[in-house]
Amino acid sequence: MTDVTTGSSAAPIHSQDHDSTALRNALARVRTEVGKAVVGQDGAVTGLIIALLARGHVLLEGVPGVAKTLLVRSLSEALSLDTKRIQFTPDLMPGDVTGSLVYDGRTGGFEFREGPVFTNILLADEINRTPPKTQSALLEAMEERQVSVDGVSRQLPDPFIVAATQNPIEYEGTYALPEAQLDRFLLKLTLDVPPRDTEVEVLRRHAAGFNPRDLAAAGVTPALSAAELHAARAAAASVGATGDVLAYIVDLARATRTSPSVKLGVSPRGTTALLAASKAWAWLSGYDSITPDHVQAMLLPVWRHRVQLRPEAELEGVGVDAILRSIVQQVQVPI
């Protein structure tokens, strides 16, 4: 079982479609542009690109200082997409995210002032540091791609994804994300501390004058147009899936619900999310139809945040990733 978000290489390209090949090459250039600012997070870059193709949101988990915020900013720069950042704090209000009605003294009426959610990539920094009331302000935006204020629904820009960050080891002053909100994230990507050689390269760049706050000086330039992104999304959505592979996804999900270590298994939303992510990865790899290998490669990032373990399993030190790997080994793979 290979997790593509850990930085492993793509499968061989089989498709010979020229347009798709050109789009894949453009996305490869996006990776190159991001690499000018971010070192050693290839798996996370792949995950974010898959999320864009599959129209999904991403939860980035890692200790402070592993380039979570820089990664999102670099990607938006390489895609020439509008990005806004919200620092989630305990006193953040829902209107600070979605926007609110503001009285206009000139007209004597109220007008809607858009919040930072009206953007292409919303960077929700330390999303678990704000109370559930404010976290819930994102639910409609993430699911419906719209914001409703005072009975009026307003569409968000397209594309729109939420890239949220959280610290996995600091719990004081944080609020656990509601299950309904976790389920709306397509992927949960974990960013680890880089290995020694990578960290040396980070320091070498800083010693040479790299400034993470100045991406233009780092040479990060747009590599994919909005039209190309829409075409790539359509191409990824058109990837096929046989009945056997669809049944395989369902069997994997049902196995999570019956595992003795699991309190809450994967919902039907989780199966559709795995299908969408598998299609995106298959298209990126040059396939016209998904295979069990694509499903297995995307299973951990798509499902690790959707499974809740029983307390006794947690006390024994069992991790969600280990449970999911065990399920993949147990469920029969279609030939």
Side-chain angles (χ1 to χ4, degrees):
M1 177 181 179
T2 303
D3 175 3
V4 300
T5 62
T6 59
S8 54
S9 59
I13 291 180
H14 293 170
S15 173
Q16 298 300 319
D17 182 78
H18 176 73
D19 290 339
S20 288
T21 300
L23 291 172
R24 279 189 285 266
N25 290 338
L27 285 167
R29 291 195 297 272
V30 170
R31 296 174 63 93
T32 300
E33 293 300 317
V34 173
K36 294 177 180 178
V38 180
V39 184
Q41 297 293 359
D42 293 343
V45 176
T46 300
L48 283 166
I49 290 175
I50 286 172
L52 273 168
L53 292 175
R55 295 176 169 83
H57 310 289
V58 180
L59 182 61
L60 300 168
E61 186 174 271
V63 298
V66 292
K68 299 187 295 295
T69 302
L70 179 61
L71 174 61
V72 176
R73 289 178 52 239
S74 302
L75 180 69
S76 65
E77 191 76 17
L79 294 170
S80 193
L81 294 176
D82 182 48
T83 303
K84 291 177 182 170
R85 176 180 178 272
I86 305 177
Q87 183 65 49
F88 279 71
T89 57
D91 60 349
L92 193 72
M93 299 298 292
D96 297 330
V97 177
T98 61
S100 56
L101 294 175
V102 178
Y103 179 74
D104 187 344
R106 293 172 299 177
T107 62
F110 288 88
E111 65 176 20
F112 179 71
R113 183 171 296 172
E114 292 183 350
V117 75
F118 285 85
T119 186
N120 296 125
I121 301 180
L122 178 66
L123 176 55
D125 228 348
E126 296 187 285
I127 191 173
N128 57 337
R129 287 199 172 277
T130 199
K133 179 180 180 180
T134 303
Q135 290 176 5
S136 65
L138 279 176
L139 288 176
E140 181 186 14
M142 294 174 70
E143 184 65 20
E144 306 295 337
R145 262 68 175 183
Q146 67 179 25
V147 167
S148 297
V149 176
D150 198 34
V152 178
S153 297
R154 297 170 173 84
Q155 292 297 316
L156 295 173
D158 183 31
F160 169 75
I161 72 167
V162 174
T165 71
Q166 68 176 16
N167 182 344
I169 62 171
E170 197 169 38
Y171 298 106
E172 186 173 348
T174 63
Y175 304 83
L177 294 182
E179 291 303 320
Q181 187 164 12
L182 278 174
D183 208 33
R184 281 166 171 78
F185 284 102
L186 177 71
L187 305 175
K188 178 182 178 182
L189 306 177
T190 56
L191 280 72
D192 298 321
V193 174
R196 181 181 182 276
D197 291 347
T198 302
E199 196 166 0
V200 169
E201 173 62 17
V202 171
L203 284 184
R204 188 193 65 77
R205 292 191 181 191
H206 279 262
F210 171 71
N211 182 359
R213 297 168 187 83
D214 190 355
L215 295 179
V220 179
T221 57
L224 190 76
S225 68
E228 288 174 320
L229 177 58
H230 284 295
R233 284 177 151 190
S238 69
V239 169
T242 65
D244 286 345
V245 174
L246 296 179
Y248 179 55
I249 294 175
V250 171
D251 289 342
L252 288 167
R254 292 175 69 86
T256 68
R257 301 167 198 160
T258 58
S259 171
S261 299
V262 174
K263 178 174 67 173
L264 177 66
V266 174
S267 70
R269 193 204 306 268
T271 61
T272 58
L274 182 55
L275 174 63
S278 299
K279 281 188 170 188
W281 175 235
W283 179 81
L284 276 176
S285 304
Y287 287 80
D288 297 321
S289 185
I290 64 173
T291 69
D293 286 341
H294 299 126
V295 173
Q296 292 177 6
M298 295 309 307
L299 188 140
L300 286 182
V302 177
W303 281 2
R304 59 164 54 111
H305 56 294
R306 304 173 193 269
V307 173
Q308 275 191 9
L309 299 183
R310 296 186 184 277
E312 52 269 29
E314 293 179 340
L315 288 173
E316 293 173 0
V318 178
V320 171
D321 283 14
I323 294 295
L324 290 175
R325 288 191 181 96
S326 174
I327 287 173
V328 169
Q329 295 296 323
Q330 296 168 13
V331 175
Q332 183 176 355
V333 181
I335 299 175

Coordinates of all heavy atoms in Angstrom, one line a residue, residues 6 23 37 39 43 46 48 113 116 123-124 138 148-149 172 178 202 233 235 275 284 317 328 335:
T6 N 2.8 11.0 0.8 CA 4.1 10.9 1.5 C 5.3 11.2 0.6 O 6.4 11.0 1.0 CB 4.3 9.5 2.2 OG1 4.2 8.5 1.2 CG2 3.2 9.3 3.2
L23 N -1.9 19.3 -20.0 CA -2.4 19.7 -18.7 C -1.6 19.1 -17.6 O -1.3 19.8 -16.6 CB -3.9 19.4 -18.6 CG -4.9 20.1 -19.5 CD1 -6.2 19.5 -19.4 CD2 -4.9 21.6 -19.1
A37 N 10.0 27.7 -3.4 CA 9.9 28.2 -2.1 C 9.8 27.2 -1.0 O 10.2 27.4 0.2 CB 8.6 29.1 -2.0
V39 N 10.7 23.3 0.3 CA 11.6 22.2 0.1 C 11.1 20.9 0.9 O 10.8 21.0 2.0 CB 13.1 22.5 0.7 CG1 14.0 21.4 0.4 CG2 13.6 23.8 0.1
G43 N 4.9 15.3 -1.2 CA 3.6 14.6 -1.0 C 2.5 15.6 -0.7 O 1.4 15.4 -1.2
T46 N 1.4 17.3 -3.8 CA 0.6 16.4 -4.6 C -0.8 16.3 -4.1 O -1.8 16.4 -4.8 CB 1.2 15.0 -4.6 OG1 2.5 15.0 -5.2 CG2 0.3 14.0 -5.4
L48 N -2.4 18.6 -2.3 CA -3.2 19.9 -2.6 C -3.6 20.0 -4.1 O -4.7 20.4 -4.4 CB -2.3 21.1 -2.3 CG -2.1 21.4 -0.8 CD1 -1.0 22.4 -0.5 CD2 -3.4 22.0 -0.2
R113 N -21.1 43.2 3.3 CA -19.7 43.4 3.1 C -19.0 42.0 3.2 O -19.1 41.3 4.2 CB -19.1 44.3 4.2 CG -17.6 44.5 4.1 CD -17.1 45.6 5.1 NE -17.7 46.9 4.8 CZ -17.6 47.9 5.6 NH1 -16.9 47.9 6.7 NH2 -18.2 49.1 5.2
P116 N -13.5 37.3 4.3 CA -12.4 36.7 3.6 C -12.7 35.3 3.0 O -11.9 34.9 2.2 CB -11.3 36.5 4.7 CG -12.1 36.6 6.0 CD -13.3 37.5 5.8
L123 N -7.0 30.2 3.4 CA -6.1 29.6 4.4 C -6.6 29.9 5.8 O -6.5 31.0 6.3 CB -4.7 30.3 4.2 CG -3.6 29.8 5.2 CD1 -3.4 28.3 5.2 CD2 -2.3 30.5 4.9
A124 N -7.1 28.8 6.4 CA -7.7 28.9 7.7 C -6.6 28.4 8.7 O -6.4 27.2 9.0 CB -8.9 28.0 7.9
L138 N -18.1 27.9 8.5 CA -17.5 27.4 7.3 C -18.2 26.2 6.7 O -18.0 25.8 5.5 CB -16.0 26.9 7.6 CG -14.9 28.0 7.6 CD1 -13.6 27.4 8.0 CD2 -14.8 28.7 6.3
S148 N -24.8 32.2 3.3 CA -26.2 32.7 3.4 C -26.2 33.7 4.6 O -25.8 33.3 5.7 CB -27.2 31.6 3.7 OG -27.3 30.7 2.6
V149 N -26.6 34.9 4.4 CA -26.6 35.9 5.4 C -28.0 36.7 5.2 O -28.3 37.1 4.1 CB -25.5 36.9 5.3 CG1 -25.6 38.1 6.3 CG2 -24.1 36.2 5.5
E172 N -4.0 22.9 24.6 CA -4.5 23.9 25.5 C -5.0 25.1 24.6 O -4.3 25.6 23.7 CB -3.4 24.4 26.4 CG -3.9 25.4 27.4 CD -2.8 25.8 28.5 OE1 -1.8 25.0 28.5 OE2 -3.0 26.7 29.2
P178 N -15.7 19.6 14.9 CA -16.9 18.7 14.9 C -16.8 17.7 13.8 O -16.1 17.9 12.7 CB -18.0 19.7 14.6 CG -17.5 21.1 14.9 CD -16.0 21.0 14.7
V202 N 17.1 23.8 3.3 CA 16.3 24.9 3.8 C 17.2 26.0 4.3 O 17.1 27.2 4.0 CB 15.3 24.5 4.9 CG1 14.6 25.7 5.5 CG2 14.3 23.5 4.3
R233 N -9.7 19.7 -14.3 CA -10.8 19.2 -13.4 C -11.8 18.3 -14.2 O -12.2 17.3 -13.7 CB -11.5 20.4 -12.7 CG -10.8 21.0 -11.6 CD -11.6 22.2 -11.0 NE -11.3 22.4 -9.6 CZ -12.0 23.3 -8.9 NH1 -13.0 23.9 -9.4 NH2 -11.7 23.4 -7.6
A235 N -11.2 16.8 -17.0 CA -10.5 15.6 -17.4 C -10.5 14.6 -16.3 O -10.7 13.4 -16.5 CB -9.2 15.9 -17.9
L275 N -13.5 8.0 -4.0 CA -13.6 7.9 -5.5 C -13.1 9.1 -6.2 O -12.4 9.0 -7.2 CB -15.1 7.6 -5.8 CG -15.5 7.6 -7.3 CD1 -14.7 6.4 -8.0 CD2 -17.0 7.5 -7.5
L284 N -3.8 12.1 -13.0 CA -2.4 12.7 -12.9 C -1.4 11.6 -13.3 O -0.3 12.0 -13.8 CB -2.2 13.1 -11.4 CG -2.6 14.5 -11.0 CD1 -2.4 14.7 -9.5 CD2 -1.9 15.6 -11.9
G317 N -2.5 2.4 22.2 CA -1.6 3.0 21.3 C -1.8 2.7 19.9 O -0.9 3.0 19.0
V328 N -6.9 -2.7 4.6 CA -6.5 -2.8 3.2 C -5.9 -4.2 3.0 O -6.2 -4.9 2.0 CB -5.5 -1.8 2.8 CG1 -4.9 -2.1 1.4 CG2 -6.2 -0.4 2.7
I335 N -9.7 -8.6 -9.0 CA -8.6 -9.0 -10.0 C -8.9 -8.3 -11.3 O -10.0 -8.3 -11.8 CB -8.6 -10.5 -10.2 CG1 -8.2 -11.2 -8.9 CG2 -7.6 -10.9 -11.3 CD1 -8.3 -12.7 -9.0

